[in-house]
Amino acid sequence: MRKITVLTALAVLAGSFSAASAADLSMKDYAPAPVWSGMYAGGHIGGAWGDDTTFDAMHRNCSTQYNENVRGMTIAATTCNEWKKLEEVSYDHDDDDTNFIGGLQIGRNWQYGETVLGVEGDVSFSDGFDYLASLRLRAGLAQGNLLLYITGGVAFAGFDDDAIKFGKYTLESDDDDSRVGAVIGAGLEYKIQRNLSVGIEGLYYAFADSKYDLSYINRDYENSEEVKINGENDNDFFVIRGRLNYHFTDDSYAPLK
């Protein structure tokens, strides 16, 4: 009888140990994963590159001779030189070079397993343009704290006024400075805390080119200088920016199943 009691106690103890070990293994093998679903908002800083410009500037001098005929009438005869390339032209366009940008973003993610889908809106400001904004879709792959994604959508921009200078004169472009275009890109985010993530993003913006067909005449009584400028401004550019987001969610981890 005593042997049976001892064997029964050992069996119960072994079973308890096995159950505890299995539970511990389950916790290790099925550790909770970060959840990317939910609203988020944050800010970004970075730089913009691009926006090449090509144009041809030509000028010529003209002279007018006024002759009075025998009947008292004045006859004017104007002769002009050949068109020549205008030298020492200065193109005043702030976003030709690298520009610092900064702004805000807000978005929403939906996570299905490792797949993360989302939508995001953002606005940026810079010395190179009045504003830069976009509304984009995102599709990504979550690997624990790391999220890799691609993105694309519609973009909006307000460019600074363009001016072409020669000597003491300045020709302004009357082209519309507001543009609607497209944007594509890719990026990554990493959760450094329960509700906080950092990331880096590269975006390519494509907008319609600016066209120039400008002319100017500086005329006095007998002499005049005519200037004409034809050009095209490429409004496509590339942006790289760092991001910081706060995620509005009550629980950052998926429940165990």
Side-chain angles (χ1 to χ4, degrees), residues 32-148:
V35 169
W36 291 91
S37 293
M39 293 286 297
Y40 64 88
H44 59 262
I45 58 173
W49 296 265
D51 206 26
D52 296 329
T53 302
T54 58
F55 62 87
D56 292 320
M58 309 293 289
H59 76 133
R60 67 179 180 177
N61 293 317
C62 298
S63 61
T64 304
Q65 293 183 346
Y66 299 90
N67 299 315
E68 186 174 335
N69 64 12
V70 293
R71 297 183 180 181
M73 299 179 61
T74 299
I75 300 176
T78 301
T79 58
C80 296
N81 298 332
E82 295 282 338
W83 284 102
K84 295 182 179 180
K85 190 172 182 63
L86 182 63
E87 304 296 338
E88 299 180 357
V89 176
S90 173
Y91 182 66
D92 182 17
H93 193 65
D94 290 337
D95 54 350
D96 269 342
D97 301 322
T98 302
N99 289 276
F100 172 83
I101 66 170
L104 303 171
Q105 69 270 352
I106 186 170
R108 175 72 161 87
N109 288 326
W110 293 268
Q111 184 170 356
Y112 307 95
E114 294 183 341
T115 302
V116 179
L117 304 177
V119 60
E120 180 175 294
D122 67 272
V123 59
S124 304
F125 302 95
S126 170
D127 290 338
F129 39 78
D130 295 331
Y131 66 89
L132 178 66
S134 70
L135 181 61
R136 294 173 285 107
L137 298 176
R138 305 201 316 168
L141 178 66
Q143 296 293 310
N145 288 349
L146 180 65
L147 173 64
L148 305 173

Side-chain angles (χ1 to χ4, degrees), residues 148-197:
L148 305 173
Y149 63 89
I150 57 175
T151 183
V154 61
F156 311 89
F159 293 99
D160 290 340
D161 292 334
D162 303 332
I164 298 174
K165 299 179 180 179
F166 59 98
K168 63 180 180 179
Y169 306 107
T170 300
L171 298 185
E172 298 283 351
S173 170
D174 57 0
D175 211 5
D176 186 5
D177 290 329
S178 298
R179 292 281 190 278
V180 178
V183 55
I184 59 173
L188 62 86
E189 280 191 69
Y190 188 83
K191 280 200 171 182
I192 57 175
Q193 292 184 9
R194 178 183 175 91
N195 296 91
L196 200 63
S197 68

